[in-house]
C-alpha cells in the first residue's frame, strides 16, 4: 500500500451528548451534560489521549431548536474552551464566534486572552450567523443579507488582525532602572476606518504565543469559499460523496493559490460521523437504535423550516416536493441546503429516510462500521485528494469519542498515518502551519499609541 | 472589646504586579506577569488559602496609560476568571464588564457560562466605561454622556436578568421515554423592547447555580449611587476618611431601603491598599521605595489629563491650581475626581505628594503599617458603620497578597472577625446573600420560546 507522506489531521467536534439528534434519549446519555463542564473536561481529556489536533465547538447566539424536543442548553465557547485549556496541555481549542453580533475589539481581546491562557492553542471559527432568530437577540428584525454579512466578516477579520499585531512581539523591554516598560513605538494604534468599523486600538493584550488564533471557516457557499480562500487556515466542510469532496478540495486550494497563498496553508477537513461497532452488525444496530429515537414530527418541522415550507406539505413516506426554492433564495447555510436536496434526490430518499440521515449528522457524512472500516474510509478520502484531515463528529458522546480514540486512532497510528505523540506546543504547530508575522514589523515610523 | 456579630467580607482586587503605579519596577516584580495566567493562578490560590470571599478584576476595553511608562498589557477578565475557576474551589470570581460596549445577549451568556463552569462563583462588576479613548475602539468619536450611559446600564441589567431567568430552575425534565427534554412552558422568550435594546430570547444557557451572577457596582457619583441602590449586591468604593466612608455607607443603605430592599442585601466594600512590614519602619521603607520609583513627569501628565489641564500648568512642588473644573464637567470617574481634589486640599498636598498618594492606590485609602495595625484599621471602619468588608488592593503582587493572607487574616480570624473556612459553595453564600428567585416563577401562561 502506498504511503502518503503528508500528515493527517483530526479535529474533535464536541457537541453536548453527540451529533445525532436523538443521542440524548439513549440510556447512557446524561441529559444535563450540554452545560456541564465536567462532561466537556472528560471529552477534552479523551481527545488529547488520542493526540488529536484540536477540539471544536460550534455556536450561535440563539437557542437552536425546540427545547421541548432536544437539548438546547449550552455554554459560551470561549468560556468553555478556557476551562478546557486548564485540563489539557497540547490539544488545540477552536471556538466559534460571530462577526455579525460582536465587536472586533471585544472578540480580538478574548481570543488573544485564550491564546495566552492556553499557551498558544486558540482557534477561531469565523461565522456570520444565519437566521432571523439570532438577529432578533440583537435589536434587528431580520438577519442582514448573506453578502453583507460576509463583507462585514472580512472587515472584522482585518480589524482583528491589526489589533492582534498592534503589539510587536518584542514590544516589552521591561527596563526597570530606566522606568521603560514597553517601547512605545512598538505598541501601535491601528486607526482603522472602514465601512463597518472604526477602531483606534491598540489592543490591551500583548501579542500572543501564536501571534493570533488559528483562523477557521466553515461556509461552503460562493461567499464562504471566497472568504475561506483569503482568510482561513483550516476549513470545516460537509461533503457526502468522494467526488464532491474532491471537487471542493481542489476548488479551495486553487482559489487560495490564485490569491498568492500556499495551498498547503489551508487545511480542508470534511466532517464524518462515525457510528462504530465491533462488528458491522453491532454498528448498524446502534444506528438503528438512534434512528428509532428520532422524533419524526419534530424533525419534519425542522426540515420544513429549512426548506421554507409548511410542514403539512411534507409527507414522511414520500419524496421531497419538486418545487423547492433555489439556493439563491436561502439566506443561511446555503451550501448545506443544496447538499441536503442533492442527497435526497440522488439516493431517492423519502422524507423519513432523509430525516434519519440528517439526524445523524445534519448533512455531514455518516459512516457506520467497524474501526477498520472507519480507518479505511478516512484513508480513502485522504489519499484521493478529498481531505487534509477530518472533523470527527461522534454520534454519541462521550462513548463515540472514546471508541474513535481507542479503536480507530490506534489503527491510523499503526498504519503510519497519524501522530503517536504531539511534537509541537501550539495549535498551528499541530496543523503544520507557520506562526504569522506581525504585519507592522517592517514599519519603523508609525504613530505611537 | 465589643464583638460585632456580623460577618466581615474580604475581596482580593488583583491587578498585574500590584496596585502601586511603580510596583513593576521593584526587583521582585515580573514585568510580564500582567498577562501571565500562572501569575494569576498563584494569586488565586493565595487568596483562597486566606478564605477570602472573592477575587476581582477591573477592566476597560482600551489600553489604559502609556505602555512606555507602565505595564498596560492584560487579559480579558471573563477568560482569565474562567481559568482561575479551574484552580480554585470556593472563592468568588468577579469580572468587570462594560454595559456601554457589549450586547446583553452576549454578556449574559458569558456570565451564565462562568457561573456554571465555576459552580456558582461568578460576579459581574457593572461599569459604564468612562473615556473617549475606549469609545474610539467602538466606532464612536466620544464617550456617551454620563447619564445616558447609566440609563443604558439599567436597561442592560434588566435585559440580562430577564435572560438569566428565561429558563426556570426546573425547566429540564429529561423524559427520555417520551422524548421531552425540557418543559417548553418553562423556557421563555423575553421579548424585551426598550430604549436601547430589543432582545427576543430566551438565553441558550439554562439557569445557573446562582440564578445569575452576583451584581457588583463601583460608581459613587449620584448616577452611580442611584444605580447601586437599585441593582447592586456589593459595592466597591474609594473612601479616604472614616467620616466620608460612614456617610457613603449610610447613604447607600438608606437609598436601598427607600427602594424596598433589605439594606443588608447590599454590601459596601471600601478599598484599602495595605503596605505591610514587620515593623512600622519596614512598612514605611517599602512605601518610600515605591514612591521613589514613581515617574513624576508621567504621573503629572496623567493627573493633568484627569483634571483636563495642560501638564505645564501643574508645578510638582506647588499645590493644585484653584480653578479646577466642577465635578459636573467631568464625564467619567466623577466621584473619584472630587475625592482627589478634596484629599489634596484637606491635607495641603503638593502635586508631587498627591502623585505619591495616588500612585499607591489611585485614590483608594493607603494604609502603611504592621499586620496588627492593618487589622485594627479594618476593624475600626467595620465597627463604626463604614464598611461591610474591604476590597484589598495590595500595592505589590504577589508579595502584598501573601503578606495580607498570612499575616493579617490570621489576626482577624483569632479575633473572631473572619471565617476560618468556607461554609458555602457559591459567591452569594460567602456574602450571606440569598439566591435570587426567578422573576417568571409565578407566571404560568407565558408564551413559550
Amino acid at each position: 500500500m502506498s504511503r502518503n507522506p503528508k500528515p493527517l489531521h483530526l479535529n474533535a467536534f464536541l457537541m453536548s451528548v453527540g451529533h445525532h439528534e436523538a443521542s440524548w434519549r439513549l440510556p447512557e446519555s446524561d441529559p444535563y451534560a450540554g452545560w456541564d463542564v465536567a462532561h466537556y473536561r472528560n471529552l477534552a481529556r479523551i481527545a488529547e489521549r488520542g493526540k488529536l489536533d484540536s477540539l471544536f465547538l460550534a455556536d450561535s447566539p440563539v437557542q437552536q431548536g425546540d427545547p421541548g424536543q432536544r437539548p438546547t442548553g449550552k455554554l459560551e465557547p470561549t468560556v468553555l474552551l478556557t476551562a478546557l485549556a486548564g485540563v489539557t496541555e497540547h490539544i488545540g481549542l477552536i471556538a466559534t464566534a460571530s462577526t455579525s453580533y460582536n465587536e472586533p475589539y471585544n472578540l480580538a481581546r478574548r481570543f488573544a486572552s485564550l491564546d495566552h491562557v492556553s499557551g498558544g492553542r486558540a482557534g477561531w471559527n469565523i461565522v456570520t450567523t444565519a437566521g432571523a432568530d439570532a438577529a432578533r437577540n440583537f435589536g434587528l428584525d431580520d438577519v442582514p443579507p448573506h453578502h453583507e454579512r460576509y463583507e462585514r466578516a472580512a472587515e472584522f477579520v482585518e480589524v482583528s488582525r491589526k489589533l492582534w499585531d498592534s503589539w510587536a512581539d518584542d514590544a516589552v523591554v521591561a527596563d526597570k532602572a530606566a522606568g521603560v516598560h514597553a517601547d512605545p513605538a512598538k505598541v501601535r494604534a491601528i486607526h482603522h476606518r472602514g465601512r463597518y468599523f472604526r477602531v483606534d486600538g491598540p489592543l490591551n493584550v500583548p501579542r500572543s504565543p501564536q501571534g493570533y488564533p488559528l483562523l477557521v471557516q466553515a461556509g461552503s457557499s460562493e461567499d464562504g469559499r471566497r472568504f475561506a480562500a483569503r482568510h482561513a487556515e483550516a476549513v470545516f466542510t460537509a461533503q457526502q460523496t468522494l467526488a464532491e469532496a474532491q471537487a471542493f478540495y481542489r476548488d479551495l486550494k486553487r482559489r487560495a493559490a490564485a490569491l498568492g497563498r500556499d495551498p498547503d496553508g489551508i487545511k480542508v477537513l470534511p466532517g464524518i460521523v462515525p457510528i462504530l461497532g465491533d462488528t458491522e452488525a453491532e454498528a448498524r444496530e446502534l444506528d438503528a437504535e438512534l434512528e428509532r429515537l428520532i422524533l419524526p414530527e419534530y424533525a419534519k418541522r425542522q426540515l420544513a423550516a429549512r426548506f421554507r415550507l409548511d410542514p403539512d406539505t411534507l409527507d414522511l413516506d414520500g419524496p421531497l416536493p419538486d418545487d423547492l426554492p433555489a439556493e439563491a433564495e436561502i439566506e443561511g447555510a446555503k451550501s448545506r441546503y443544496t447538499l441536503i436536496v442533492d442527497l435526497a434526490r440522488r439516493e431517492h430518499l423519502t422524507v423519513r429516510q432523509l430525516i434519519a440521515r440528517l439526524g445523524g449528522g445534519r448533512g455531514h457524512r455518516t459512516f457506520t462500521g467497524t474501526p477498520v472500516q472507519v480507518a479505511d474510509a478516512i484513508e480513502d478520502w485522504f489519499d484521493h485528494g478529498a481531505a487534509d484531515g477530518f472533523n470527527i463528529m461522534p454520534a454519541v458522546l462521550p462513548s463515540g469519542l472514546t471508541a474513535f480514540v481507542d479503536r480507530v486512532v490506534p489503527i491510523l497510528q499503526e498504519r503510519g498515518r497519524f501522530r503517536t505523540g504531539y511534537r509541537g506546543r501550539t495549535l498551528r504547530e499541530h496543523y503544520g502551519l507557520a506562526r504569522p508575522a506581525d504585519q507592522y514589523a517592517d514599519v519603523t515610523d508609525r504613530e505611537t499609541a
Side-chain angles (χ1 to χ4, degrees), chain A:
Chain A
M1 184 178 134
S2 75
R3 279 285 166 269
N4 188 333
K6 80 171 187 173
L8 170 71
H9 301 287
L10 296 174
N11 172 75
F13 184 165
L14 307 185
M15 181 179 277
S16 186
V17 289
H19 286 268
H20 197 287
E21 185 68 26
S23 59
W24 73 273
R25 298 184 65 197
L26 289 173
E28 71 180 70
S29 293
D30 172 5
Y32 299 86
W35 53 100
D36 180 0
V37 69
H39 171 71
Y40 286 95
R41 284 189 181 128
N42 181 40
L43 295 176
R45 288 182 176 121
I46 294 167
E48 187 160 82
R49 188 170 85 213
K51 317 299 180 200
L52 269 53
D53 295 71
S54 48
L55 302 175
F56 164 58
L57 296 171
D59 193 55
S60 188
V62 66
Q63 173 165 261
Q64 296 181 289
D66 178 346
Q69 313 276 304
R70 62 180 301 275
T72 59
K74 56 194 297 190
L75 299 171
E76 193 280 327
T78 61
V79 165
L80 179 51
L81 288 183
T82 302
L84 302 187
V87 298
T88 52
E89 277 180 43
H90 291 92
I91 199 162
L93 308 160
I94 303 172
T96 300
S98 172
T99 54
S100 298
Y101 305 119
N102 278 292
E103 288 284 336
Y105 200 91
N106 291 336
L107 201 61
R109 277 184 85 194
R110 292 226 304 288
F111 275 106
S113 297
L114 177 57
D115 204 47
H116 276 290
V117 162
S118 64
R121 298 189 280 139
W124 173 24
N125 178 40
I126 305 161
V127 297
T128 67
T129 310
D133 50 355
R136 288 194 292 261
N137 286 333
F138 296 90
L140 303 178
D141 291 320
D142 203 351
V143 63
H146 196 264
H147 185 69
E148 195 178 304
R149 293 206 311 276
Y150 270 95
E151 221 175 59
R152 178 181 160 113
E155 191 183 328
F156 197 115
V157 171
E158 183 193 344
V159 177
S160 299
R161 288 185 50 175
K162 288 177 179 174
L163 288 169
W164 288 321
D165 287 349
S166 59
W167 288 63
D169 284 315
D170 59 354
V172 174
V173 294
D175 185 340
K176 291 180 179 181
V180 178
H181 189 267
D183 177 349
K186 292 183 174 173
V187 184
R188 299 153 297 205
I190 68 165
H191 294 305
H192 176 88
R193 297 286 177 273
R195 177 163 174 193
Y196 294 92
F197 304 109
R198 287 189 300 143
V199 180
D200 269 10
L203 204 61
N204 55 6
V205 185
R207 203 158 192 265
S208 69
Q210 291 191 108
Y212 55 83
L214 182 78
L215 300 182
V216 181
Q217 208 268 349
S220 297
S221 66
E222 178 58 30
D223 286 332
R225 291 180 192 214
R226 212 179 290 144
F227 184 91
R230 186 169 298 277
H231 301 289
E233 297 167 278
V235 173
F236 296 139
T237 180
Q239 301 293 336
Q240 282 284 336
T241 68
L242 176 62
E244 284 165 355
Q246 287 169 324
F248 179 79
Y249 185 93
R250 276 194 309 269
D251 180 59
L252 214 57
K253 301 279 180 170
R254 186 189 54 72
R255 287 171 189 252
L259 292 166
R261 293 182 62 190
D262 174 3
D264 202 40
I266 177 167
K267 305 295 181 187
V268 178
L269 308 171
I272 183 169
V273 182
I275 299 187
L276 283 159
D278 281 344
T279 62
E280 262 192 74
E282 200 183 293
R284 291 233 176 80
E285 205 175 296
L286 172 57
D287 194 23
E289 186 181 359
L290 285 165
E291 189 176 330
R292 272 195 308 277
L293 294 173
I294 289 177
L295 301 164
E297 287 302 324
Y298 169 65
K300 196 174 89 168
R301 284 201 303 280
Q302 296 291 101
L303 193 67
R306 190 188 278 274
F307 289 160
R308 301 181 155 197
L309 294 176
D310 177 346
D312 292 339
T313 64
L314 290 179
D315 171 10
L316 273 172
D317 296 304
L320 282 185
D322 288 332
D323 53 341
L324 293 172
E327 180 178 306
E329 292 167 47
I330 301 294
E331 263 308 327
K334 281 172 175 286
S335 61
R336 189 68 55 86
Y337 169 79
T338 298
L339 177 149
I340 291 167
V341 175
D342 289 352
L343 169 66
R345 300 225 159 115
R346 186 176 58 242
E347 303 193 14
H348 307 289
L349 302 177
T350 64
V351 168
R352 192 186 300 276
Q353 288 167 329
L354 179 61
I355 282 170
R357 290 288 287 273
L358 297 178
R362 303 183 309 282
H364 286 270
R365 178 185 177 212
T366 302
F367 192 94
T368 305
T370 65
V372 167
Q373 287 172 327
V374 170
D376 289 346
I378 284 175
E379 282 199 310
D380 184 39
W381 281 32
F382 183 66
D383 282 343
H384 292 94
D388 296 309
F390 292 86
N391 189 17
I392 308 300
M393 302 168 58
V396 187
L397 288 167
S399 63
L401 183 62
T402 302
F404 185 84
V405 159
D406 292 345
R407 308 290 308 279
V408 181
V409 166
I411 295 169
L412 294 168
Q413 287 170 330
E414 274 161 35
R415 294 179 183 177
R417 293 298 196 169
F418 193 61
R419 69 171 74 83
T420 54
Y422 291 103
R423 290 219 188 130
R425 292 294 310 211
T426 71
L427 173 53
R428 274 206 187 75
E429 285 168 355
H430 302 333
Y431 279 99
L433 297 164
R435 184 177 190 271
D438 160 13
Q439 65 188 290
Y440 303 126
D442 297 328
V443 183
T444 52
D445 58 350
R446 280 185 65 83
E447 179 193 354
T448 61

